[in-house]
């Protein structure tokens, strides 16, 4: 598959790439997390590290800190922290034990600024999310605050405002979006808004734009992306009653699909202030014989508003329980996808004219991957 040398120099020169990059992938079952290298000159993915963790019942969601020193793992009953070692492996450091009725650790996100608080959600009815304090190295120390919902809630996704002062929660079982403020000095969380979602929506994951003016919500059951305006001073949201379908037009069989993920591309230079070019989504097919769908949206560089839905293209396979997209830190055009129906990870690339995207590298795995986090 390696292209001839001269061809590779010509076709990749314009990208100013030529490096190898590294990510970790978690799995829905088992205790392995893998380390994978992507060579952008040859477009190849290689499994370079099989890491045995203490997460014996899978690593359903993993997150990495801003400093790329720690990987946090959600597994049944625990949220664990692992140090990223010099040889790109993971070394277990500590864990938080979850309560008996909230064992299903399913989503994690880490604050981008000191004190680097980690937020964790367990996907079971009535469970609060937790704010977890970390020590100087970033290792999990203790749960310091609960973010409470209603007793019919089941929160599946979280995101933070760019100053980490507000937490947005996608309540899939309770069909709602919640807003909490979080004060990292007093270590207190307060519910400030509950927004019921339209009937049959079921918010799963969401993405708060770093410029502060928009939050985009994946409606899992409706297979659509919903637009919420954000007040940058109060953190409060307004449902704009605007949705974009994440399936091709004419598909009325939405119950055969379940939309999954929305993530912003990562600006390569000065990522703390620059505005992402794209919002990229993954939707799963419930049948392993039909593909899921990948879509991307162009975003206004100064406001973060959606200017255009660029494409809706089939993924290589169904996605299984995953089709979790993870944008690369080295180019806004590249993102990784996990597929737990056919057991692989892929690298995808958005075309130069942004009207399409396609897989550029494929790596078969021996189990079903959940999501990946990029180290470099
Ligand atoms: C990782 O494990 C898989 C199978 O479980 C094996 O095929 C592969 O060679 C291993 N890779 C490394 C780098 O250890
Ligand atoms: C990586 O480094 C750790 C110590 O930080 C060591 O325990 C482990 O054996 C090393 N792994 C490999 C594959 O060299
Ligand atoms: C929620 O909890 C309250 C108080 O414990 C209880 O009265 C109510 O029935 C519960 N509702 C549901 C939907 O479980
Ligand atoms: C939104 O608020 C953040 C934090 O207070 C600030 O850094 C940012 O510049 C604000 N954005 C806009 C568009 O006003
Ligand atoms: C969205 O629809 C609701 C219910 O019809 C309405 O109350 C609200 O004003 C609408 N929001 C906007 C921003 O138009
Ligand atoms: C959903 O409907 C579309 C259009 O008729 C069809 O192409 C597709 O295969 C269907 N998907 C599933 C999972 O049945
Ligand atoms: C990023 O951009 C901001 C605003 O233009 C600037 O103040 C800051 O120094 C830049 N940071 C880096 C690392 O270039």
């Amino acid at each position: 598959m390696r292209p001839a040398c001269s061809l590779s120099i010509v076709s990749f020169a314009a990208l100013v790439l030529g490096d190898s990059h590294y990510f970790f992938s978690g799995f829905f079952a088992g205790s392995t997390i893998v380390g994978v290298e992507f060579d952008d000159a040859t477009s190849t993915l290689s499994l370079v590290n099989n890491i045995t963790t203490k997460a014996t019942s899978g690593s359903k969601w993993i997150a990495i800190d801003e400093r790329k020193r720690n990987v946090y793992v959600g597994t049944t009953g625990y949220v664990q922290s692992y140090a990223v070692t010099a040889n790109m492996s993971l070394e277990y450091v500590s864990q938080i034990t979850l309560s008996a009725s909230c064992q299903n650790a399913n989503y994690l996100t880490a604050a981008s600024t000191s004190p680097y608080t980690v937020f964790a959600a367990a996907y079971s009815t009535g469970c609060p999310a937790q704010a977890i304090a970390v020590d100087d190295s970033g290792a999990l120390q203790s749960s310091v605050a609960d973010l409470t919902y209603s007793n019919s809630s089941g929160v599946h996704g979280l995101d933070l405002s760019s100053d980490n002062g507000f937490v947005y929660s996608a309540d899939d079982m309770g069909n709602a979006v919640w807003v909490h403020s979080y004060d990292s000095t007093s270590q207190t969380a307060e519910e400030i808004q509950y927004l019921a979602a339209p009937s049959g929506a079921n918010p799963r994951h969401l993405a708060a734009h770093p410029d502060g003016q928009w939050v985009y919500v994946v409606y899992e059951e409706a297979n659509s992306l919903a637009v919420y305006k954000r007040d940058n001073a109060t953190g409060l949201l307004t449902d704009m009653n605007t949705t974009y379908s994440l399936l091709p037009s004419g598909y009325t069989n939405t119950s055969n699909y379940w939309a999954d993920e929305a993530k912003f591309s990562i600006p390569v230079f000065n990522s703390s202030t620059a505005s992402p070019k794209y919002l990229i989504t993954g939707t799963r097919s419930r049948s392993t014989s039909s593909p899921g769908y990948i879509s991307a949206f162009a975003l206004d560089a100064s406001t973060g508003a959606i200017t255009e839905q660029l494409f809706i293209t089939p993924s290589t396979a169904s996605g299984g329980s995953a089709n979790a997209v993870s944008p690369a830190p080295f180019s806004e055009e590249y993102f990784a996808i996990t597929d737990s129906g056919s057991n692989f990870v892929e690298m995808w690339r958005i075309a130069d004219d942004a009207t399409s995207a396609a897989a550029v590298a494929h790596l078969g795995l021996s189990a079903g991957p959940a999501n990946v986090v990029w180290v470099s």
Side-chain angles (χ1 to χ4, degrees), residues 70-82:
N70 299 275
V71 168
Y72 306 112
V73 175
T75 188
T76 307
Y78 303 95
V79 180
Q80 303 177 329
S81 54
Y82 292 81

Side-chain angles (χ1 to χ4, degrees), residues 162-163 210-213 230 232-233 302:
S162 56
D163 64 0
D211 292 346
Q213 301 182 55
R230 178 176 181 272
N232 198 39
S302 58

Side-chain angles (χ1 to χ4, degrees), residues 193-206:
Q193 194 178 20
Y194 161 85
L195 298 100
S199 164
N202 291 0
R204 175 183 167 92
H205 284 181
L206 43 71

